[in-house]
Amino acid sequence: MLLSELRALLKEVEQRRVSVEEALHRLKTLPYEDLGFAKLDHHRGLRKGFPEVVFCQGKTVEQVAAVVERLCAHSNNVLATRAGREVFEAVRAICADARYSELGRVITISRGEPLPRKGNVLVMSAGTADLPVAEEAAVTAEVMGNHVRRCYDVGVAGIHRLLDQRELMEWSDVIIVVAGMEGALASVVGGLADRPVVAVPTSVGYGASFNGLAALLSMLNSCASGVGVVNIDNGFGAAALADAVTRVKWEAAK
Amino acid sequence: MLLSELRALLKEVEQRRVSVEEALHRLKTLPYEDLGFAKLDHHRGLRKGFPEVVFCQGKTVEQVAAVVERLCAHSNNVLATRAGREVFEAVRAICADARYSELGRVITISRGEPLPRKGNVLVMSAGTADLPVAEEAAVTAEVMGNHVRRCYDVGVAGIHRLLDQRELMEWSDVIIVVAGMEGALASVVGGLADRPVVAVPTSVGYGASFNGLAALLSMLNSCASGVGVVNIDNGFGAAALADAVTRVKWEAAK
Amino acid sequence: MLLSELRALLKEVEQRRVSVEEALHRLKTLPYEDLGFAKLDHHRGLRKGFPEVVFCQGKTVEQVAAVVERLCAHSNNVLATRAGREVFEAVRAICADARYSELGRVITISRGEPLPRKGNVLVMSAGTADLPVAEEAAVTAEVMGNHVRRCYDVGVAGIHRLLDQRELMEWSDVIIVVAGMEGALASVVGGLADRPVVAVPTSVGYGASFNGLAALLSMLNSCASGVGVVNIDNGFGAAALADAVTRVKWEAAK
Amino acid sequence: MLLSELRALLKEVEQRRVSVEEALHRLKTLPYEDLGFAKLDHHRGLRKGFPEVVFCQGKTVEQVAAVVERLCAHSNNVLATRAGREVFEAVRAICADARYSELGRVITISRGEPLPRKGNVLVMSAGTADLPVAEEAAVTAEVMGNHVRRCYDVGVAGIHRLLDQRELMEWSDVIIVVAGMEGALASVVGGLADRPVVAVPTSVGYGASFNGLAALLSMLNSCASGVGVVNIDNGFGAAALADAVTRVKWEAAK
Amino acid sequence: MLLSELRALLKEVEQRRVSVEEALHRLKTLPYEDLGFAKLDHHRGLRKGFPEVVFCQGKTVEQVAAVVERLCAHSNNVLATRAGREVFEAVRAICADARYSELGRVITISRGEPLPRKGNVLVMSAGTADLPVAEEAAVTAEVMGNHVRRCYDVGVAGIHRLLDQRELMEWSDVIIVVAGMEGALASVVGGLADRPVVAVPTSVGYGASFNGLAALLSMLNSCASGVGVVNIDNGFGAAALADAVTRVKWEAAK
Amino acid sequence: MLLSELRALLKEVEQRRVSVEEALHRLKTLPYEDLGFAKLDHHRGLRKGFPEVVFCQGKTVEQVAAVVERLCAHSNNVLATRAGREVFEAVRAICADARYSELGRVITISRGEPLPRKGNVLVMSAGTADLPVAEEAAVTAEVMGNHVRRCYDVGVAGIHRLLDQRELMEWSDVIIVVAGMEGALASVVGGLADRPVVAVPTSVGYGASFNGLAALLSMLNSCASGVGVVNIDNGFGAAALADAVTRVKWEAAK
Amino acid sequence: MLLSELRALLKEVEQRRVSVEEALHRLKTLPYEDLGFAKLDHHRGLRKGFPEVVFCQGKTVEQVAAVVERLCAHSNNVLATRAGREVFEAVRAICADARYSELGRVITISRGEPLPRKGNVLVMSAGTADLPVAEEAAVTAEVMGNHVRRCYDVGVAGIHRLLDQRELMEWSDVIIVVAGMEGALASVVGGLADRPVVAVPTSVGYGASFNGLAALLSMLNSCASGVGVVNIDNGFGAAALADAVTRVKWEAAK
Amino acid sequence: MLLSELRALLKEVEQRRVSVEEALHRLKTLPYEDLGFAKLDHHRGLRKGFPEVVFCQGKTVEQVAAVVERLCAHSNNVLATRAGREVFEAVRAICADARYSELGRVITISRGEPLPRKGNVLVMSAGTADLPVAEEAAVTAEVMGNHVRRCYDVGVAGIHRLLDQRELMEWSDVIIVVAGMEGALASVVGGLADRPVVAVPTSVGYGASFNGLAALLSMLNSCASGVGVVNIDNGFGAAALADAVTRVKWEAAK
């Protein structure tokens, strides 16, 4: 609740247009809904620009379905990540228009007017095995209202494949780089591009990759500037950060 | 070198306005300067929007002075980070107009027209001991061409101090959060603000902070979205990422 | 054996009311029972205020059943944690009145007079996926003799959900905070409440959560005071510590 | 601000005894003081039962002195930890009645009525090298208003030294166990006592102690129940948790 | 593209034997093929001396089959590593002449003239459980064009078994040492032989081997010189490095 | 081969009682047998006092069977550890007199004269879940020729159970302590007993036990002296070290 | 206190030759001495075979001097490890006959009859930089009553230097192996000798030795049997374990 | 000692041209020299192609001087690494012709005929701060008999600087890549060149570089093939491996 809203409310109390108990209620309660096992943050759309997203991992199918059902009642856009096919089936039983990205394990529901496209997000990946994470990022960025292009399998072992992508990089407002193993792609892209680079280490690799630790440390130590890192395999988080960047652009251009 | 430039050059060769050897030279060499111990990347200003920055740690005072001198010859803006006072003295002997932020250990030289202000950067820190890193970020963001505001010592142990800063958050285009110990500030700010949040873990703490590892992991696992993480104590990197974001806004608004 | 008991026993020997061999026996043996694969510590109820608890993980179903059977013979209250359903079935075959918390994986047997309620324990969790650990804590605290209230899914990404819980916090004597990912909830609660906070990191998360390490380090480095940490996923341990706190209160109030 | 206080304030606005702007001011500002580099949380005494404590490490001598001076103006009790002698000299120049524990590196200022003694805190340490941490805990617990007894050098290599301390353990309401190396003392004390045990791993040791990691992990994995762990070398944090426990007792006994 | 090739091309443009658009095309495109999910680097054979190798782990069976099919169209030699039997079946359905090393999990296709034998590679392993990695190395080195000999189960616990292998070591141009557990074999072989030693730590072991970390660190800290280390379980990488060494020899001998 | 044997052999060559080729053979070959995938060290019995032991993990059932068969041909005593039941079935098909410890996963074959009992080995374990490792140690120590006694479930949470075992400790020549979680048992036993203590950390535990790391570090940092540590879960290794100790005693007593 | 002693005491109480209070005193107090900052365990000589040893690191010079003075009053043999020269000067001021090993940083005081030689201890080290730790072990083993031989700089990079030491190995009852870097020496010695091997990893090395971690893990994973590991740089602990082994031999031979 | 040499020696014994004792001596002793604190391996030149190298770190100045003096007596080429200036002064006092690389901390003595140049070694470094390690490698490779070229400060943040170096790469037989921070240079060079690449991670960086761990893991996980890794900061080891490679070439070309 912003200062201006608080002032307005107090004025209404002063003028007896709003009762003390009503004001109390408004000040005390913030708009969330309690399902017992979860407290849905219906206010998040106002605060963060996109409704609460369902992270399915660690929740039962029933819990996900109940949460999605309630979110659908309050919002035109619902996103659920890390969703297996059985979760999707349960969601589709409730919302027949739910769509599913098998590769990215993402469920999306979009109703009403499509969201305006705020900006251009380029998703690059180093190898084929990084695709599930890259797709989670790409689908999320799209559903949040962005133009998305994909540029996959451009790892630094064949750097000419990457140098070829200059035009794509220039098209973008923000670049998401998805890479496992040694994660060097983030540094090379960061050195070439003047856009914000969101680096996503993946758990792709074996042995001394230590489930993505090598790529994570590599990206955190990038000798190129303009690189921000998210958690290992966190395609959603990368897209959310990219979306926050394009929102800055979009608001400036309005 | 962009495709359009290459086409133009080839046309000139075809029309014999440019000799083969000259074209060869242009295609072969890119603009960097070799000091033997360092290869200065004078092209970086074009590519990344700001000239190469001198990271002083691990370089001798003489090396820094030589590099700064050459950069000054090519650019109006020079930035040197992790600079001790003795480094600054050596730089000032060459460039009398160099300025020094003792707290942030940053040397800046700004000549000619001031850079346009691209956007608003808010730097928040959790505790007083985080100030050197916060100041490195703040000074860097300023010299790169941003309005900067500082909001220090708003750690989550007294969360009312933070909740009070809503207006500052709304003023900003991007927020840099600097925190050591458990680094929880990034999550709380990320939950409140819809701007991109650049999280900088610091090595402030002791014991199981493991020199910033605790804050780093905490920030990477943030339950709030829109948070990108840079290396421990990397105030410069946070500012460079924030600057890349405001550049996106600025170009959109042009 | 306390000093006063030793003095009394020695007096009885001096007065020949107790034979040397009998005294020897009492001094030598302490009340535990040897099942071969386990030595049941029947003395623990006297020493620690609650009988030995069965940690089922790593024990065969038969071993658990045998241990529970012997404990039932000595105690009105039996608690078994980390118990799968098949373990519960085996226990119920022996003790028909055994109850089971599927979510918390806890078996409880309570006979005779209910234990007096020593105090008020509030169990808070950051997310829905933390519920199994939170329930292990809640059920344990209840069976040990405490009033327990649950307040789930109040993670810091939507901090208004948490700030709403002030009354619950004031009701409590001790607060158990269960959180995975970055575990920031413990710091924020620790900053708001003057009660002892028992922080339980969970293995909820992925990537750089490193199976709960991120939350663990975060909680250990809490910038708020009054926070004690237990092992990752150790809901039982948190409840036992909370119970030790309410016992201090209860003894003071007697 | 509690619900009851909010209701009262709103009633006063309704009855025009308090102006809108005044109510706005009260609702907007919480009592902290901004020194620029620090925001003093003068409200903490109300919220947590003891004023904000100064953690000196990472602050300049001047910063500590300025903070202590402001805290003295608002509170009768000031505590500064991790304070070197030169910090103490600077503080004493301002507050002539400041006292210093050289071993525990703690500065204390206590004016006015002594705080009531809320309960009994026993501080045990495993070895002589653990004394600085143990003293930080003991002095902190005393200044916060507790009876404190010390029992040092009772490590498990000579377990009879420990078994001898039963009476001390029974005297206590809460036991702080300070131990480095393998930290086994926490488990053994936890097995003997029914009080809450606050375990403080120390960085005492070498090699595979990894600066206290071994003791930390050992304490987190304690096979005894009722043990809460704080950060490595965090004597202050242990005392603050112990103090939160005795406050529960003290309020119950009132 | 080498400098000499660039000069020749520019000359042809100058002499109008090659059109601007044609030159543009040649300069712009490098020979890779885009399958959407993968960009095949057909240029790698020229650049690295052996065509792109398919790392099957993390790819679907369909993806591997599609990639192998395209590689076969451009190259006489195809190698696919970390291939399960079901992958091999899919490949054989396309290329009937594909062969499979079950132990080494390697698929090979060799058509046309056999590659010349560039040198002698000795593969040694410490224990029987290291064989899958050793075989991956041996088969890879063979298919890349080397004489390969195997010498397995010569761990240092029975050092006479190793000392017996002096003649084999002298036969070799490069030695691949495959060892898990403490990985000491690399140091002992490195002390005996004057050939380059390629050390491959394996994940063989348990407990404090930490999935190969112990062997990896051991090999990196080898007190013997002339030892280069590759990733844990990376038999392929060891063979590729060994092959790079024999290529140096072979080119010198030409 | 000892110096005295070498002198004797050379003398025989000098005296032409042994041909050069024969001497060469003897000097060159040491008694091991090459199965291709394994080199059996039949000399180990002479060198180490017990024949080569088969570590089954990571070997195929066929490999184990082949190795056991060859070892049986050269030795009266065969030991195979980490053997699943299916491995035992395969071994029993070859050696009908093979015996199996299901709990300790150990196969033993003992023919001919029983080995003399060299000394007394006490195996203590902290908890019931440590039994598989403890049994691996106990069975190994027995088959190598020792009197073995077991004393299980004497963890430090109920230290009276341990203090009761003084007589058993005095009976022993060497004590094997098997403990997971925080592994404090090794320190307490090490403080009580003057025998060599072989500490075996186990992977029993969860969370911050990090698969036995906590117990391992704890044991390595034991404040008690006379404690040697083996790998996590290495019951066999503990028994082999204990056996080396009793062999020292036995040779002294001869 | 042994069972037989307890029986005798109780009999004396029964016969009124010992008063209840006297018996109480004897049962209650065990012979340690409280210096406030330390509790000297004068009973340790009886229990462990050698008096309490002073670990100087982390103690002030005054604390060490006070402890040594009291130990000298109760024992003929005093040992202080990790002692700098200034500590030695302070000790010599009290005990003029104190001796000092500068390399091993060990102070020894031996009065009265020399201790009998219990057995033969061989100390081997891999490199010259390992000497301080090796000397700590050697001096400790000597003062505890053992014949000691040193065999330094026999690392596995020149394995012939080690193979030459067979006779020394056969002379020994127990071998202490001191090695840093990759620590392979322990495995090779363990494979050659049938004596118990006490492995001491040292912090000698750099980079990926991680202050001795590489050698520690290497030794814990030794493929040779009969190897027990102590903490990094713990020369004293290795000698104490070796001494416990020779005591077993010596008691058997009596 | 090779098989052929052994046969020859035995024949001489058979023919009584060599006495038994003489043969015994030759078989027993291998050529090393015992300085007490060090055993110099004078045989290493024969075995490894270059005499034993002195690693100065952890040795006293006196020890280094003594070792260098003895090595000079047996060899024309002496190399000492990690040598501070005071070590060099001590060496120069003995060997007036010793030379010193201050940057690389390497002492070299070369007498008699210069060693033949075996091949071409290119040393590349990512940044200016990597120079000490790069120089250690370059000087070592030179003194071992190689043509060496240096190419410094070609990190991937300005990849055009690197792509410019194609000719240098083609000149080389083996490339040493020295890089700290994220170490991506090794992957990019490995993707461009068909030579063996020896990757040296450096401890250059801060925060999450964890003293070189990030670069180390990055290099071990390189997606390019033909890359072997040595220890962090191990310039010497890289050169020794490179030299082993050029020796293979040189012997082939002979």
Side-chain angles (χ1 to χ4, degrees), chain E residues 1-125:
Chain E
M1 179 166 275
L2 306 180
L3 202 62
S4 54
E5 295 169 335
L6 179 57
R7 176 178 280 115
L9 178 60
L10 288 169
K11 272 207 190 313
E12 291 190 308
V13 172
E14 189 187 45
Q15 295 159 4
R16 307 220 171 172
R17 289 198 304 247
V18 167
S19 75
V20 163
E21 287 310 307
E22 169 63 21
L24 193 59
H25 180 74
R26 290 199 207 163
L27 286 167
K28 194 186 78 185
T29 63
L30 275 156
Y32 61 86
E33 184 175 5
D34 198 335
L35 302 189
F37 60 86
K39 291 190 176 51
L40 300 187
D41 184 2
H42 295 312
H43 188 259
R44 194 166 299 182
L46 282 169
R47 210 169 65 245
K48 295 281 296 180
F50 195 84
E52 185 166 4
V53 173
V54 190
F55 180 73
C56 299
Q57 192 175 300
K59 295 197 180 70
T60 65
V61 172
E62 292 71 31
Q63 288 175 333
V64 173
V67 167
V68 169
E69 189 168 32
R70 295 312 304 149
L71 288 175
C72 280
H74 284 75
S75 169
N76 281 332
N77 292 282
V78 173
L79 179 66
T81 62
R82 302 285 169 104
R85 176 155 280 278
E86 76 291 356
V87 169
F88 172 58
E89 300 299 348
V91 166
R92 192 163 51 176
I94 299 166
C95 308
D97 56 342
R99 279 165 303 168
Y100 186 53
S101 159
E102 186 112 37
L103 190 53
R105 293 153 304 155
V106 177
I107 300 169
T108 51
I109 302 170
S110 295
R111 291 164 177 171
E113 288 270 305
L115 289 174
R117 301 285 116 181
K118 296 190 289 281
N120 299 337
V121 177
L122 173 62
V123 182
M124 307 184 96
S125 84

Side-chain angles (χ1 to χ4, degrees), chain A residues 181-193:
Chain A
M181 301 181 79
E182 91 280 56
L185 185 60
S187 291
V188 177
V189 170
L192 291 170

